[in-house]
Amino acid sequence: MERTTCCVVGGGPAGMVLGLLLARAGVEVTVLEKHGDFLRDFRGDTVHPSTLRLLDDLGLADRFAALPQRHVHSIQLPIGRGGELFTVGEIGSLPGKYNYVAMVPQWDLLDLLADEAQREPTFRLRTDTEVTSFLMERGRVTGVRYRDRASGSTGELRATLTVACDGRGSLARDLPELGLQEFACPMDVWWFRLPREEGDPQGLVGNVGERFLTAMIDRGDYWQCAALIPKGADAKCRAEGLDRFLAAFTEATPWMRRGPADREPGPRSWDEVKLLNVRMDRLRRWHRPGLLCIGDAAHAMSPVFGIGINLAVEDAVAAARHLARPLREGTVGLADVRAVQRRRWPTTVATQGLQRIAHARVIGPLLQGRSPAAGGEPLRLAQVLTKAPWLKRAPAYFLAYGAGRERPPAESLRRSG
């Protein structure tokens, strides 16, 4: 019978950060990741100031700085007639060393965290290991059943505490006592690539088209593009033809029209355009005896503001701070996992509230072909923020750190160099 103190299900940002922090704090931890590696495209790539400061606290700032990346210093939203862009979050105005969002391929960040964690004697990462169900005894989760995807073999891993970090498809969401609450979303997302040419903008670029919005992430030699389309409109939009969409995309992106005449085309078939079914929801309870959910497993975020990874990492830091000592001492109980939800609940609710406002006041109208300035409220708010630079710090701070910065366990800290 295999056994560990903490079983972390899922090797995404939340799972790897939690695994590293607990292992450094002397907790025996095993991370189960169903894929063989972290190399998957079309994932969130934003590393916010809170995570940058965490990496610095962990002594990883220099290694992270060596990764290929672009920096974003402000957040812009299309508001008003024609979708004028207004700066509503001036991250560059925040004090401190990390006053930007780093755009880094997520697999590079996860490889860094995994490499660092595996230096700890109490850490173990098992890839190609898919969790198939929970082990239950007397109403308590006591571990997981898994399948090795490489060999096809199955097994069980017992754990004092199981932490679900396996995203919006988490097995934990099938537990009715956790109470999944869903919110309407006006959009889905198409992911695709476009070649990047010399002279193109850098960092994160947004555009407004006819009934769609785009965000383009600078990958160096190509753009990772997200196009927001009306919810449920995938089949209809595809039926209208790829050429029509690419023409509309180019029309909404003036700098592409000014680029080189021999610019390589974008996707050559719809097979290269992947659909993300956007969901926004949260569990009413993130825990039950022996189980805790964090990150997207506890609260699936809208892609608005690109803050899902930030919240997931902060969840992991809060969980490590509350759970490291009781896990190490063998005293972890329901009160400890409840404390994690109490700590993270206000930020989650507030963030989803802001995303729902953006859905209703900006994104929904634009995708329906209407001006988002109907009634004037969003436009007036943007104008106030634009004219009062000191007000930009409020949304900028929220995007950078959430409601408040989470601090890791003292035992997990390392000095750079």
Side-chain angles (χ1 to χ4, degrees):
M1 183 69 66
E2 297 177 86
R3 183 164 187 84
T4 188
T5 300
C6 182
C7 172
V8 176
V9 182
M16 293 309 304
V17 168
L18 179 61
L20 171 60
L21 295 180
L22 290 180
R24 281 192 173 185
V27 176
E28 184 183 19
V29 56
T30 301
V31 177
L32 305 181
E33 167 56 45
K34 69 178 180 180
H35 296 96
D37 55 38
F38 302 121
L39 192 61
R40 290 177 291 288
D41 210 346
F42 307 139
R43 307 177 86 175
D45 299 305
T46 55
V47 182
H48 289 240
S50 59
T51 305
L52 295 172
R53 290 185 64 174
L54 171 67
L55 293 171
D56 199 349
D57 289 342
L58 300 179
L60 301 177
D62 291 342
R63 292 185 62 187
F64 180 82
L67 299 177
Q69 57 190 271
R70 297 288 191 272
H71 294 172
V72 175
H73 296 272
S74 62
I75 303 297
Q76 294 181 310
L77 291 178
I79 299 174
R81 296 184 181 277
E84 297 96 330
L85 290 174
F86 284 84
T87 299
V88 296
E90 195 68 65
I91 298 176
S93 68
L94 297 176
K97 181 179 179 181
Y98 300 110
N99 57 353
Y100 58 87
V101 174
M103 309 298 297
V104 177
Q106 190 177 118
W107 57 79
D108 285 342
L109 173 63
L110 295 177
D111 281 337
L112 186 157
L113 294 172
D115 179 69
E116 186 66 23
Q118 289 179 107
R119 301 183 184 192
E120 303 298 324
T122 58
F123 179 87
R124 188 179 182 191
L125 172 63
R126 297 178 57 171
T127 57
D128 277 325
T129 304
E130 182 178 11
V131 173
T132 56
S133 63
F134 294 114
L135 297 173
M136 308 284 285
E137 293 181 6
R138 301 176 183 176
R140 180 182 181 86
V141 174
T142 57
V144 298
R145 296 183 180 88
Y146 65 84
R147 179 176 67 89
D148 187 298
R149 301 179 72 185
S151 67
S153 61
T154 60
E156 296 180 355
L157 177 63
R158 302 271 172 170
T160 303
L161 178 67
T162 299
V163 182
C165 304
D166 46 344
R168 61 192 63 195
S170 174
L171 287 174
R173 289 173 160 238
D174 295 332
L175 299 175
E177 62 268 34
L178 301 188
L180 184 63
Q181 181 182 11
E182 299 183 83
F183 305 100
C185 285
M187 76 284 197
D188 289 323
V189 176
W190 279 343
W191 283 109
F192 58 97
R193 291 186 181 188
L194 285 176
R196 186 176 179 277
E197 302 288 346
E198 186 176 354
D200 284 356
Q202 295 183 356
L204 179 64
V205 179
N207 310 290
V208 181
E210 183 180 354
R211 296 179 184 269
F212 70 90
L213 303 169
T214 71
M216 303 175 66
I217 301 171
D218 179 0
R219 291 289 206 186
D221 58 350
Y222 70 92
W223 291 101
Q224 179 175 307
C225 302
L228 276 61
I229 61 173
K231 189 70 176 177
D234 175 64
K236 176 179 178 295
C237 292
R238 288 177 188 257
E240 294 173 350
L242 181 60
D243 289 342
R244 176 175 176 176
F245 166 68
L246 291 178
F249 183 89
T250 303
E251 181 66 25
T253 316
W255 54 267
M256 288 187 66
R257 298 199 302 274
R258 296 192 297 267
D262 60 347
R263 179 187 288 270
E264 295 182 30
R268 292 179 171 82
S269 76
W270 283 118
D271 292 338
E272 299 177 36
V273 180
K274 309 302 181 183
L275 173 68
L276 171 64
N277 179 22
V278 175
R279 294 168 52 187
M280 184 165 67
D281 55 45
R282 62 176 178 258
L283 298 176
R284 290 184 173 88
R285 291 178 58 196
W286 299 5
H287 54 79
R288 58 167 297 166
L291 175 69
L292 172 67
C293 302
I294 62 173
D296 275 4
H299 47 75
M301 311 301 291
S302 163
V304 171
F305 308 135
I307 51 181
I309 295 175
N310 187 40
L311 264 67
V313 169
E314 293 293 281
D315 284 357
V317 176
R321 187 171 184 87
H322 282 85
L323 300 174
R325 178 179 293 179
L327 281 170
R328 191 171 58 243
E329 298 176 353
T331 60
V332 66
L334 191 57
D336 298 302
V337 293
R338 281 176 177 164
V340 178
Q341 180 176 355
R342 284 199 302 270
R343 173 67 183 180
R344 297 300 301 159
W345 182 262
T347 295
T348 300
V349 173
T351 303
Q352 289 185 329
L354 290 176
Q355 290 180 331
R356 293 168 69 187
I357 292 173
H359 288 172
R361 300 294 185 90
V362 179
I363 295 175
L366 281 171
L367 295 180
Q368 296 166 14
R370 298 187 286 109
S371 169
E377 296 89 347
L379 182 58
R380 285 195 294 271
L381 176 60
Q383 290 171 336
V384 169
L385 290 173
T386 303
K387 293 178 181 178
W390 64 272
L391 282 176
K392 294 180 185 179
R393 291 194 176 188
Y397 184 89
F398 191 84
L399 291 169
Y401 295 105
R405 185 188 174 203
E406 300 291 350
R407 300 185 181 277
E411 312 95 298
S412 302
L413 302 182
R414 300 285 190 276
R415 292 191 178 276
S416 297

